[in-house]
Amino acid sequence: MRVVLASNNAGKLGELRPLLEPLNLSLVSQGALGIDAAPEEGLTFVENAIAKARHVCRAARLPAIADDSGLVVPQLGGQPGIRSARFAGENATDAQNNAKLVADLKGEDSVPAHFYCALVFLRDATDPAPLVATARWPGRILSHPRGSRGFGYDPHFLIESLGQTAAELDAETKNRLSHRGQATAQLVSLLRGDP
Ligand code: IMP
């Protein structure tokens, strides 16, 4: 089955592709089909993931898998949340978003947070029963970055049980533990059971 991966974020595409490998799908990225980004107008990750997938289904006339993910810091009222990619402004860099996070936390160290991922599969643009998987990855926000792997907020995200930030993990370990890894494992089993 040919399925569009509804994302243009290189970091996320790089993580999702190997995770979806067991399904033997022919995965084509949204960018490769020249499809523009969907407007993100929902208030939750799940709403935005469905909107992204629907936008791509409509444009490509193919089934689509979309993820919406981000960092949730309860102490900041859930921010950066669905605005994680553009926390410091439209087209903000990871460095700018991280700097705003540390500034908003007033330099406080080891603040509880979690990454959240909603991952959906839509068979077509009018599919009333999408497959929906969600997962969280708990950690703590460090005021000083550590590590050079991963992307986004990874250098500031400490996994307490490992004593390492997400940016210090090798790709395989991050994929096994992360919000996206866990949501993908769920979606894979939902797709396997899908008639
Ligand atoms: P989206 O592309 O609208 O889903 O935005 C996702 C944003 O959330 C990314 O640009 C990152 O800022 C952040 N994010 C999501 N997943 C991760 C992760 O695994 N590590 C670090 N940052 C992440």
Side-chain angles (χ1 to χ4, degrees):
M1 184 176 24
R2 220 169 155 227
V3 174
V4 187
L5 211 40
S7 175
N8 286 323
N9 177 319
K12 291 202 303 193
L13 286 173
E15 289 186 7
L16 279 172
R17 276 187 180 278
L19 290 167
L20 292 167
E21 222 158 65
L23 289 169
N24 282 323
L25 300 172
S26 162
L27 286 174
V28 47
S29 74
Q30 173 172 354
L33 296 178
I35 301 172
D36 61 349
E40 290 192 26
E41 292 166 343
L43 293 180
T44 63
F45 294 109
V46 171
E47 287 168 285
N48 283 340
I50 291 175
K52 285 183 196 179
R54 188 177 292 128
H55 172 79
V56 164
C57 282
R58 197 168 277 143
R61 298 184 176 279
L62 285 170
I65 291 174
D67 110 309
D68 198 51
S69 56
L71 180 70
V72 177
V73 184
Q75 196 166 307
L76 295 177
Q79 290 191 83
I82 54 166
R83 297 187 45 80
S84 290
R86 49 189 193 285
F87 191 39
E90 290 304 323
N91 307 316
T93 62
D94 287 344
Q96 289 167 334
N97 287 332
N98 280 318
K100 176 165 167 55
L101 177 66
V102 171
D104 284 7
L105 289 171
K106 302 185 172 36
E108 191 180 330
D109 200 34
S110 199
V111 175
H114 62 265
F115 279 122
Y116 183 99
C117 176
L119 191 64
V120 306
F121 173 79
L122 235 68
R123 298 162 192 84
D124 57 58
T126 59
D127 184 354
L131 303 181
V132 179
T134 67
R136 291 167 176 234
W137 191 22
R140 294 202 168 242
I141 304 302
L142 299 184
S143 53
H144 295 286
R146 277 169 33 189
S148 55
R149 295 179 170 132
F151 68 99
Y153 299 94
D154 281 346
H156 286 273
F157 190 76
L158 177 74
I159 297 91
E160 278 185 289
S161 57
L162 301 178
Q164 287 179 299
T165 68
E168 291 175 315
L169 303 180
D170 57 68
E172 196 210 319
T173 309
K174 184 181 173 193
N175 273 343
R176 188 161 39 80
L177 301 175
S178 78
H179 50 316
R180 199 161 9 265
Q182 295 176 58
T184 310
Q186 280 177 42
L187 192 73
V188 166
S189 63
L190 288 172
L191 277 161
R192 282 202 168 124
D194 198 45

